[in-house]
Amino acid sequence: MLKNFFSLFMILALILSSGVTTQAADKNCSDFSTWKEAQKFFESQGGPKSDPHGLDRNGDGVACESLPGFDPSYKPSQGSTGQTGLFTDTGGHWAESNIDFLYNLSLVGGYNDGSFGVKKSITRAEVATIITRHLGLSSAKASFSDVSSKHWANSSIGAIEKAGIMGGYKDGSFKPNAPITRAELSALLVRAYNLSGKSSLSFSDVSSKHWAYNSIQVLVNNKITGGYPDGTFKPSNDVNRAEFATFLARIIRNEDMKIAGGEIAVSFIDVGQGDSILLETSNGNTMLVDGGHRYAGDEVIAHLNRRGVSKIDLMVSTHPDADHIGGLIDVLSEFPVEKVLDSGKVHTTQTYNDYLTLIDQKNISFEIAQEGQHVDFDDNVIIQVLSSTNASSDLNESSVVLKVIHEDVSILLTGDATVENERDMMQKYNVDADILKVGHHGSSTSTSIDFLKSVTPDSAILSYGDNSYGHPDSEVVQRLNNMYTTIWSTYYDGSILLETDDNGYSMISGDMY
């Protein structure tokens, strides 16, 4: 029985009674709202060595210097984000935070040329040394025919062999200088860190008879990896140093989470022109806020699978616009959903009707969000509804706005809330937050300067795709820049992952897997 059957019934009755990110085309500076966006695109297209769009008008390696937010101190050699890293090739790299994390633990280092070698395959000897160092294994003499007593990693290879974590080949060799494959690394990590569990996710290139099948399933279950977007795992592929750093960093962070009492991960999923946000807790609870357009359903499901999600404990529909609820229909069809929190705003589209019908058919608990309520979701997370005005004639103004707090980190999820909503929230609630999901894809109808001054976000996420609406508005972007807010966008960064830790939070984007 629906928890709030009458509410859902009334919505259905009212309905019955009433009558994508694409490959970039030719670009010019006027197509960008800020200099940072233009420079990032310019470098992604091969700049400064190559400038197919003619964005570098001065030939100095810097694009569109007339745009708002131009940094005259920027040097192109610093990388796509304009920031240097610990190593010459890590600044702005998708794995930078994980590489830095391991470096600060004295587990990894770089090369004499100052690089980390993000794309370089990691060898079996290197892996043995790093794992031995982290686990504090006692040195031992290696027994393999191709690891001499003078080999630089002899004692580490011997230690990991003695611990039963890593073995050799049938011919008695270890192949210390050979790259480690994704399958081999999976088996090693499961043994080294006593990982367990099994995921419902399967890969087209890993059958149940594959020798590493169980280990790969365990890694997915522990959210260490989720494979590739095409549904493969590529078990025979060599692992590069950036990928290894990410796998190991996630395992270590997971261990720290168990000790500290739990952290959270928040994915801002790239669904093109729309919103979709996944929140995961260390207790295994999941909340999905919106699902993008209906055509984005496959991408949302793929992302859930890559994250090892098997159920949705709380689904939130901020308002019934198609670019927010469309993809939820596929999720409702494919995943067990415990509860739906809805704006209560009635809409008459077929998309909204299909969404409600599925909830009814599956007998899913249905609740209308109430302003000020605290949402029961997870013991380690506070979620409060700051706005929910379903009486408004404006769909955007009816958006459910959530403030999510985990320890010292706060996130404001605004849906398509308007400046009027913002004004009301500022008068009633503390809207200060570390991370702001910018309202209405950066439209001029949201994100007033007064609101930004009240939120004071360190980081902001713009979720949008190719569109004819002018999203994001250049004035909104300029306001964010004026607040010295770090701007992330799904259009340029792809899906964005936020993870909390003892030091606050970190964010990565792009190829997170």
Side-chain angles (χ1 to χ4, degrees):
M1 183 64 65
L2 294 174
K3 180 177 180 180
N4 207 335
F5 174 79
F6 183 72
S7 298
L8 183 55
F9 176 79
M10 289 301 295
I11 291 173
L12 286 168
L14 284 168
I15 290 172
L16 293 172
S17 64
S18 59
V20 171
T21 302
T22 61
Q23 185 174 359
D26 191 47
K27 294 277 189 179
N28 56 57
C29 290
S30 63
D31 291 324
F32 303 97
S33 301
T34 67
W35 167 79
K36 185 177 180 181
E37 287 186 354
Q39 184 67 23
K40 190 162 191 176
F41 176 82
F42 168 64
E43 293 183 1
S44 74
Q45 300 296 298
K49 291 183 180 179
S50 173
D51 186 17
H53 300 274
L55 301 177
D56 180 7
R57 296 171 181 174
N58 300 326
D60 58 358
V62 180
C64 304
E65 296 175 22
S66 61
L67 285 177
F70 170 60
D71 179 5
S73 66
Y74 176 79
K75 291 180 172 49
S77 61
Q78 291 180 320
S80 63
T81 64
Q83 297 177 345
T84 55
L86 287 173
F87 304 96
T88 57
D89 56 348
T90 59
H93 191 275
W94 64 267
E96 180 180 12
S97 64
N98 293 315
I99 294 167
D100 290 355
F101 177 72
L102 296 188
Y103 175 83
N104 289 331
L105 293 176
S106 300
L107 294 178
V108 298
Y111 293 95
N112 291 333
D113 63 359
S115 71
F116 180 77
V118 290
K119 296 181 179 179
K120 187 175 181 180
S121 296
I122 192 164
T123 67
R124 288 168 55 84
E126 289 173 324
V127 170
T129 300
I130 294 168
I131 298 298
T132 295
R133 188 178 299 154
H134 181 243
L135 296 180
L137 301 178
S138 300
S139 299
K141 185 178 179 180
S143 64
F144 302 104
S145 58
D146 56 348
V147 182
S148 72
S149 59
K150 295 182 179 180
H151 191 283
W152 68 269
N154 180 284
S155 61
S156 294
I157 294 171
I160 209 166
E161 175 193 9
K162 184 177 179 181
I165 294 172
M166 194 173 183
Y169 296 91
K170 291 181 179 179
D171 62 0
S173 68
F174 183 79
K175 297 182 173 57
N177 300 321
I180 194 166
T181 67
R182 287 169 60 85
E184 290 173 332
L185 182 61
S186 298
L188 180 153
L189 292 175
V190 168
R191 287 193 293 265
Y193 294 96
N194 295 315
L195 303 178
S196 62
K198 184 176 181 180
S199 170
S200 60
L201 180 63
S202 60
F203 300 102
S204 59
D205 56 350
V206 182
S207 73
S208 59
K209 296 181 180 179
H210 190 283
W211 71 268
Y213 172 80
N214 290 330
S215 296
I216 292 169
Q217 287 286 305
V218 172
L219 277 199
V220 175
N221 179 70
N222 285 270
K223 297 181 172 61
I224 308 305
T225 182
Y228 293 90
D230 63 359
T232 64
F233 186 80
K234 298 180 174 51
S236 299
N237 276 21
D238 296 341
V239 178
N240 65 40
R241 287 168 58 84
E243 291 170 331
F244 174 78
T246 299
F247 281 27
L248 183 58
R250 286 176 177 167
I251 288 176
I252 296 173
R253 286 191 176 111
N254 283 352
E255 288 190 326
D256 292 343
M257 280 166 50
K258 293 173 185 176
I259 297 171
E263 301 293 348
I264 64 170
V266 183
S267 302
F268 298 88
I269 306 171
D270 179 11
V271 290
Q273 180 65 17
D275 277 7
S276 188
I277 301 153
L278 172 69
L279 187 153
E280 305 164 82
T281 76
S282 59
N283 293 325
N285 294 320
T286 56
M287 177 175 75
L288 181 66
V289 181
D290 292 335
H293 269 288
R294 197 151 190 175
Y295 61 71
D298 287 344
E299 176 55 35
V300 176
I301 287 174
H303 188 93
L304 295 176
N305 285 334
R306 290 195 294 271
R307 294 294 298 168
V309 173
S310 59
K311 62 176 175 58
I312 303 297
D313 296 287
L314 178 63
M315 175 181 284
V316 180
S317 168
T318 61
H319 65 294
D321 270 344
D323 60 336
H324 289 255
I325 66 164
L328 295 180
I329 294 170
D330 284 349
V331 177
L332 285 164
S333 298
E334 298 294 329
F335 285 79
V337 177
E338 180 68 24
K339 178 180 178 180
V340 172
L341 184 66
D342 188 89
S343 67
K345 180 62 182 174
V346 176
H347 204 22
T348 57
T349 61
Q350 186 61 47
T351 298
Y352 189 58
N353 187 44
D354 291 347
Y355 155 79
L356 289 179
T357 299
L358 263 175
I359 294 170
D360 192 19
Q361 289 175 346
K362 293 202 164 192
N363 200 26
I364 298 170
S365 177
F366 182 88
E367 181 179 346
I368 294 176
Q370 302 298 319
E371 181 190 316
Q373 81 173 95
H374 284 83
V375 180
D376 184 14
F377 171 63
D378 187 280
D379 291 340
N380 294 325
V381 180
I382 298 171
I383 302 176
Q384 186 177 18
V385 179
L386 301 192
S387 185
S388 181
T389 316
N390 56 54
S392 172
S393 60
D394 188 324
L395 292 180
N396 293 332
E397 198 170 279
S398 302
S399 290
V400 175
V401 176
L402 302 176
K403 184 171 183 179
V404 179
I405 303 174
H406 173 72
E407 296 181 349
D408 295 330
V409 178
S410 53
I411 308 165
L412 198 58
L413 307 177
T414 57
D416 283 357
T418 65
V419 291
E420 289 79 15
N421 296 131
E422 294 171 356
R423 184 167 53 247
D424 291 341
M425 288 187 289
M426 285 188 289
Q427 292 173 354
K428 299 176 183 178
Y429 303 103
N430 176 10
V431 296
D432 180 76
D434 300 298
I435 302 100
L436 171 67
K437 198 292 297 181
V438 179
H440 200 185
H441 322 291
S443 167
S444 60
T445 62
S446 306
T447 323
S448 67
I449 185 60
D450 288 339
F451 186 62
L452 279 179
K453 287 179 179 178
S454 295
V455 178
T456 62
D458 296 321
S459 301
I461 292 89
L462 287 162
S463 183
Y464 69 98
D466 285 331
N467 66 88
S468 58
Y469 309 113
H471 297 163
D473 182 78
S474 59
E475 290 188 10
V476 170
V477 174
Q478 186 60 53
R479 288 173 204 152
L480 290 165
N481 282 324
N482 291 343
M483 294 287 293
Y484 300 101
T485 301
T486 301
I487 300 174
W488 299 73
S489 87
T490 56
Y491 187 86
Y492 290 105
D493 296 311
S495 293
I496 300 157
L497 178 66
L498 179 155
E499 294 177 310
T500 64
D501 53 41
D502 289 342
N503 298 316
Y505 69 93
S506 60
M507 297 174 71
I508 59 173
S509 64
D511 185 3
M512 299 184 295
Y513 307 101

